Amino acid sequence: MELFEEIRRGYAAGETIHGVHRRMVRQAIASAIPPERKNHERKQPRLEPLKAVIAAILKADQQSPRKQRHTAHRIWTRLGEEQPQYPISEATVSRYVQRRKQELGLSGRVVCVPQSYELGGEAQVDWFEAVVKLGGEACKLQFFAMRSMATGNAYHRAYRQGTQQALLEAHEHAFAYFGGVFHLLRYDNMASLVKKILRGRQRVETERMIAFRSHWGFQSAYCNPAKGNEKGGVEGELGWFRRNYLTPVPEAANLEELNAQLLEMCYQARQRTIPGKSVSIFEASLQESGALLPHAEEGFALEEVIDGIVVDGQGRVKVKANWYSAPVGPGQRVRAVVWPSEITISYSGRRVAKHERCYQRGQQVLNLEHYLDVLEKKPGAMSGSTPLQQWRQAGRWPACLDRIWERLELKLGKSAGTREMITLVRAGLSEGWERVIAAVEESLRIGVTDAAAVLHILRMPDPEERRRYAVALAEELAQFERPMPSMDEYDLLLGGIQ
């Protein structure tokens, strides 16, 4: 364009134009806009004999299942196997296959119509997987996500397994986060929600989902099978959240701490402003809260109650294919309440045990605290006990406890030393396990190996606490302070005595 302008100015000034082809000069004089260049299609001698083979493969794909159609890479590998006399690069085949698929309408990409949503009208729900570190160990968790389509605000929560119970519990946490209930929730065809897919949009939902939906008052809608684009809002949210908040891999001591971190991430994420919006997600959410349905007066009964479970001879009860310890005598019947993340055990109306739920089969989840009464009578069983081994694996039994245990046994004998050790474990129940460990480390540092001494260190106030006590005591005693009496007059009387 600049060259044409220079030629036209030179021509108008009567200058002689050099270094430019006469054809271009004629074109510039005729028009200020250069003519479009002709695209000459290059010959492809390597590809030409293979075009018919590729066309036959693409034609056959139209009758094949969608997920069993050829990719460009697979076509290239087939050509190398079936047509070795025509070697060709993968890039050449990929470009040609992409162009032919577009011409045949097989590219799979469709035009999407932008959608607008009313405040409080719709939210989309989905699960996704991500790896986190819990207690230093990498594990794959299921993450729940609910996204408001009007504001872009989203709630995330993690579970060991994406069960129906976990899904419904996550809904209630999400309703609390958003401050109300959306009029419509859109899902894909989760087995925990849908028993049968009928014609069109009709679904036969599970009875528990129908009851849950009725309890909270929202409507449900489902995508067509294999049409994740129909809930593209939450699909995009999953990728954005994973890239921005789960990279690098987050770490937490346990699932409860991780979910506290995720909630804080949700609060941070809603401070941003989505491109094209004039207000932040948080400000839009404040406007949306008034359009949401109100909370139900009480939560839905999510827990599963199992009555009449018999405690076996090893102080365990079997719940959902796994064994959990319970400090109750053998043969007694207890109640188990099953939640998505924990299991509680009650006896005579009183909760006696609480465990993190295990989703494997045939596993033992044992707490050493539940066996202390038995171990006091059978101290020799403690060192090789499974509950102690599980505490070691979980990091609840540091090396300092083994060192003081060994010194107690050397000083008092195995049985008496183990009973003294049990006394320290019991102290952890009431005083706090971390404080007991700190007291044990201090006793080892000063060379004291006695349970009574450890308990004395445990219950002794720290320097800051002692300082506060001293200040408080001084303020309390200040009201009793009196000036010292003057003895001068008595000294005068004594002076007269010879």
Side-chain angles (χ1 to χ4, degrees):
M1 192 71 73
E2 290 81 358
L3 180 58
F4 266 46
E5 182 184 19
E6 185 178 347
I7 293 172
R8 289 172 66 86
R9 285 181 177 176
Y11 177 77
E15 298 176 355
T16 302
I17 300 171
H18 300 282
V20 182
H21 197 279
R22 66 184 66 182
R23 181 176 63 251
M24 182 173 291
V25 174
R26 288 195 297 268
Q27 291 173 347
I29 294 171
S31 174
I33 301 176
E36 293 184 2
R37 294 184 179 182
K38 295 181 180 180
N39 292 325
H40 298 281
E41 188 172 347
R42 295 175 58 188
K43 293 183 179 181
Q44 298 176 303
R46 290 182 178 272
L47 183 61
E48 200 64 38
L50 299 173
K51 287 183 178 181
V53 180
I54 296 174
I57 293 174
L58 295 178
K59 183 178 180 181
D61 271 355
Q62 297 181 49
Q63 308 301 322
S64 301
R66 185 181 63 85
K67 292 188 177 182
Q68 291 179 252
R69 295 175 184 174
H70 287 76
T71 62
H73 175 76
R74 179 58 184 145
I75 292 175
W76 175 71
T77 58
R78 278 193 60 182
L79 293 176
E81 295 168 357
E82 300 172 10
Q83 307 289 334
Q85 68 275 25
Y86 300 112
I88 190 170
S89 71
E90 184 176 358
T92 301
V93 173
S94 296
R95 286 192 295 267
Y96 180 71
V97 168
Q98 182 181 11
R99 187 168 71 250
R100 287 297 296 155
K101 281 187 174 182
Q102 291 175 347
E103 294 170 357
L104 296 172
L106 302 175
S107 63
R109 301 187 66 180
V110 296
V111 177
C112 297
V113 181
Q115 300 290 301
S116 297
Y117 299 89
E118 296 181 359
L119 292 175
E122 179 180 327
Q124 297 179 355
V125 177
D126 205 358
W127 288 104
F128 69 100
E129 288 185 346
V131 174
V132 302
K133 285 186 176 180
L134 295 182
E137 181 179 353
C139 56
K140 184 181 293 184
L141 299 180
Q142 300 292 319
F143 285 76
F144 167 90
M146 180 184 289
R147 182 182 189 269
S148 166
M149 296 307 297
T151 67
N153 193 12
Y155 175 77
H156 299 266
R157 187 173 178 84
Y159 289 91
R160 295 280 185 181
Q161 293 288 335
T163 62
Q164 181 192 68
Q165 196 180 37
L167 177 66
L168 300 185
E169 183 192 69
H171 273 70
E172 295 199 345
H173 285 287
F175 295 156
Y177 170 80
F178 288 108
V181 182
F182 292 90
H183 292 259
L184 176 72
L185 293 179
R186 189 175 300 278
Y187 309 87
D188 57 19
N189 299 282
M190 304 177 187
S192 57
L193 303 182
V194 177
K195 290 197 295 187
K196 188 176 183 180
I197 300 175
L198 303 179
R199 187 186 300 274
R201 302 281 180 174
Q202 299 181 28
R203 302 290 185 272
V204 177
E205 295 176 297
T206 61
E207 293 180 359
R208 196 155 176 79
M209 175 57 183
I210 295 172
F212 183 81
R213 187 185 64 197
S214 175
H215 179 86
W216 287 99
F218 65 88
Q219 297 295 317
S220 57
Y222 297 90
C223 303
N224 285 313
K227 292 291 183 180
N229 59 289
E230 295 182 3
K231 53 178 181 59
V234 72
E235 294 282 353
E237 168 66 25
L238 305 184
W240 184 90
F241 192 82
R242 186 188 288 113
R243 291 189 300 272
N244 288 274
Y245 286 101
L246 301 183
T247 305
V249 174
E251 299 184 30
N254 49 47
L255 193 60
E256 183 178 357
E257 182 180 309
L258 174 65
N259 280 320
Q261 293 180 15
L262 291 176
L263 182 59
E264 185 61 32
M265 294 173 187
C266 294
Y267 290 144
Q268 293 176 8
R270 69 182 186 181
Q271 300 302 320
R272 74 187 195 280
T273 300
I274 296 177
K277 301 287 186 179
S278 59
V279 297
S280 69
I281 294 175
F282 176 68
E283 294 172 312
S285 299
L286 294 178
Q287 300 173 13
E288 184 178 52
S289 60
L292 296 172
L293 297 172
H295 283 105
E297 293 183 0
E298 57 183 18
F300 187 74
L302 297 171
E303 69 275 14
E304 180 181 354
V305 179
I306 307 174
D307 280 314
I309 306 176
V310 179
V311 181
D312 71 359
Q314 298 181 44
R316 308 171 307 171
V317 293
K318 190 174 184 180
V319 182
K320 296 292 184 181
N322 291 300
W323 297 93
Y324 298 88
S325 62
V328 180
Q332 301 296 326
R333 293 185 178 273
V334 298
R335 164 181 285 189
V337 181
V338 182
W339 298 88
S341 300
E342 69 180 33
I343 288 177
T344 61
I345 301 169
S346 300
Y347 176 67
S348 297
R350 181 176 59 90
R351 193 178 78 175
V352 295
K354 176 183 175 181
H355 297 279
E356 183 176 347
R357 183 174 175 180
C358 177
Y359 280 94
Q360 300 178 32
R361 298 181 66 85
Q363 302 298 309
Q364 295 187 92
V365 182
L366 309 178
N367 191 336
L368 181 63
E369 296 170 357
H370 297 162
Y371 294 91
L372 296 182
D373 290 340
V374 178
L375 290 173
E376 281 188 336
K377 299 175 183 177
K378 302 178 180 180
M382 182 169 172
S383 60
S385 64
T386 303
L388 178 58
Q389 182 185 13
Q390 292 187 0
W391 271 31
R392 293 185 195 277
Q393 293 172 351
R396 293 192 61 184
W397 190 273
C400 65
L401 298 182
D402 283 322
R403 292 201 302 272
I404 196 167
W405 188 4
E406 182 180 354
R407 295 184 185 183
L408 287 171
E409 288 185 337
L410 290 173
K411 181 179 179 181
L412 305 173
K414 285 191 174 295
S415 296
T418 300
R419 290 191 176 95
E420 288 280 283
M421 193 67 212
I422 292 173
T423 301
L424 297 181
V425 176
R426 285 192 185 277
L429 302 180
S430 57
E431 305 290 343
W433 194 241
E434 292 183 357
R435 293 188 61 213
V436 168
I437 293 174
V440 168
E441 290 176 340
E442 177 65 14
S443 69
L444 290 172
R445 186 186 69 82
I446 62 180
V448 177
T449 55
D450 184 83
V454 174
L455 295 178
H456 175 74
I457 295 172
L458 172 67
R459 291 158 185 164
M460 185 175 62
D462 59 27
E464 177 61 25
E465 191 173 0
R466 291 199 299 271
R467 188 190 67 81
R468 291 198 302 269
Y469 286 161
V471 171
L473 182 60
E475 293 176 352
E476 184 178 349
L477 295 178
Q479 60 181 316
F480 300 107
E481 289 185 1
R482 296 290 185 271
M484 294 294 293
S486 176
M487 306 299 292
D488 294 343
E489 294 181 358
Y490 290 96
D491 290 340
L492 292 174
L493 293 173
L494 294 173
I497 301 175
Q498 297 298 327

Coordinates of all heavy atoms in Angstrom, one line a residue, residues 128-133 139-143 158-159 242 246 249-250 258:
F128 N -15.0 -33.0 39.1 CA -13.8 -33.1 38.4 C -12.7 -33.7 39.4 O -12.9 -33.7 40.6 CB -13.3 -31.8 37.8 CG -12.8 -30.8 38.8 CD1 -11.5 -30.6 39.1 CD2 -13.8 -30.0 39.5 CE1 -11.1 -29.6 40.0 CE2 -13.3 -29.0 40.4 CZ -12.0 -28.8 40.6
E129 N -11.7 -34.3 38.8 CA -10.6 -34.9 39.6 C -9.4 -34.0 39.6 O -9.1 -33.3 38.7 CB -10.2 -36.3 38.9 CG -11.2 -37.4 39.1 CD -10.7 -38.7 38.5 OE1 -9.7 -38.7 37.8 OE2 -11.3 -39.8 38.8
A130 N -8.7 -34.1 40.8 CA -7.4 -33.4 40.9 C -6.6 -34.1 42.0 O -7.2 -34.8 42.9 CB -7.6 -32.0 41.2
V131 N -5.3 -34.0 41.9 CA -4.4 -34.6 42.9 C -4.0 -33.5 43.9 O -3.7 -32.4 43.5 CB -3.1 -35.1 42.2 CG1 -2.1 -35.7 43.2 CG2 -3.5 -36.3 41.2
V132 N -4.0 -33.9 45.2 CA -3.6 -33.0 46.3 C -2.7 -33.9 47.2 O -2.7 -35.1 47.1 CB -4.8 -32.4 47.0 CG1 -5.7 -31.6 46.1 CG2 -5.6 -33.5 47.7
K133 N -2.0 -33.2 48.1 CA -1.3 -33.9 49.1 C -1.9 -33.7 50.5 O -2.1 -32.6 51.0 CB 0.2 -33.4 49.2 CG 1.0 -33.8 48.0 CD 2.5 -33.3 48.2 CE 3.4 -33.9 47.1 NZ 4.8 -33.4 47.2
C139 N -2.8 -37.9 46.7 CA -4.0 -38.7 46.5 C -4.9 -38.0 45.5 O -4.9 -36.8 45.5 CB -4.7 -39.0 47.8 SG -5.1 -37.6 48.8
K140 N -5.7 -38.8 44.8 CA -6.6 -38.2 43.8 C -8.0 -38.1 44.5 O -8.5 -39.0 45.0 CB -6.7 -39.1 42.6 CG -7.6 -38.6 41.5 CD -7.7 -39.5 40.3 CE -6.3 -39.7 39.6 NZ -6.4 -40.5 38.4
L141 N -8.5 -36.9 44.4 CA -9.8 -36.6 45.1 C -10.8 -36.1 44.0 O -10.5 -35.8 42.9 CB -9.6 -35.5 46.1 CG -8.7 -35.7 47.3 CD1 -8.7 -34.5 48.2 CD2 -9.1 -37.0 48.0
Q142 N -12.1 -36.2 44.4 CA -13.2 -35.8 43.6 C -13.6 -34.4 44.1 O -13.8 -34.2 45.3 CB -14.4 -36.7 43.7 CG -14.1 -38.1 43.2 CD -13.8 -38.2 41.7 OE1 -14.5 -37.6 41.0 NE2 -12.8 -39.0 41.4
F143 N -13.7 -33.4 43.1 CA -14.0 -32.0 43.5 C -15.4 -31.7 42.9 O -15.7 -31.9 41.7 CB -13.0 -31.1 42.9 CG -11.7 -31.1 43.6 CD1 -10.8 -32.1 43.5 CD2 -11.3 -30.0 44.5 CE1 -9.5 -32.1 44.2 CE2 -10.1 -30.0 45.2 CZ -9.2 -31.0 45.0
A158 N -14.0 -30.7 48.2 CA -13.4 -32.0 47.8 C -13.9 -33.1 48.7 O -14.2 -32.9 49.8 CB -11.8 -31.8 48.0
Y159 N -13.9 -34.3 48.0 CA -14.3 -35.5 48.7 C -13.4 -36.7 48.3 O -12.8 -36.6 47.2 CB -15.8 -35.9 48.4 CG -16.8 -34.9 49.0 CD1 -17.2 -33.8 48.3 CD2 -17.3 -35.2 50.3 CE1 -18.1 -32.9 48.9 CE2 -18.2 -34.3 50.9 CZ -18.6 -33.2 50.2 OH -19.5 -32.4 50.8
R242 N -8.7 -25.2 38.2 CA -7.6 -26.2 38.3 C -6.3 -25.5 38.0 O -5.3 -25.7 38.6 CB -7.8 -27.4 37.4 CG -6.8 -28.5 37.5 CD -6.9 -29.5 36.5 NE -8.1 -30.3 36.7 CZ -9.2 -30.4 35.9 NH1 -9.2 -29.6 34.9 NH2 -10.2 -31.2 36.1
L246 N -5.2 -25.0 41.8 CA -4.7 -26.3 42.1 C -3.4 -26.6 41.4 O -3.0 -27.7 41.4 CB -5.8 -27.4 41.7 CG -7.2 -27.2 42.3 CD1 -8.1 -28.3 41.9 CD2 -7.1 -27.2 43.8
V249 N 0.3 -28.3 43.1 CA -0.5 -29.2 43.9 C -0.7 -28.7 45.3 O 0.3 -28.5 46.0 CB 0.0 -30.7 43.9 CG1 -0.8 -31.5 44.8 CG2 0.1 -31.2 42.5
P250 N -1.9 -28.4 45.8 CA -2.1 -27.9 47.1 C -1.8 -29.0 48.2 O -1.9 -30.2 47.9 CB -3.5 -27.5 47.2 CG -4.2 -28.3 46.1 CD -3.2 -28.6 45.1
L258 N -8.2 -29.0 53.9 CA -8.2 -28.8 52.5 C -9.4 -28.0 52.1 O -9.4 -27.0 51.3 CB -8.1 -30.1 51.7 CG -8.2 -29.9 50.2 CD1 -7.1 -29.1 49.6 CD2 -8.3 -31.3 49.5

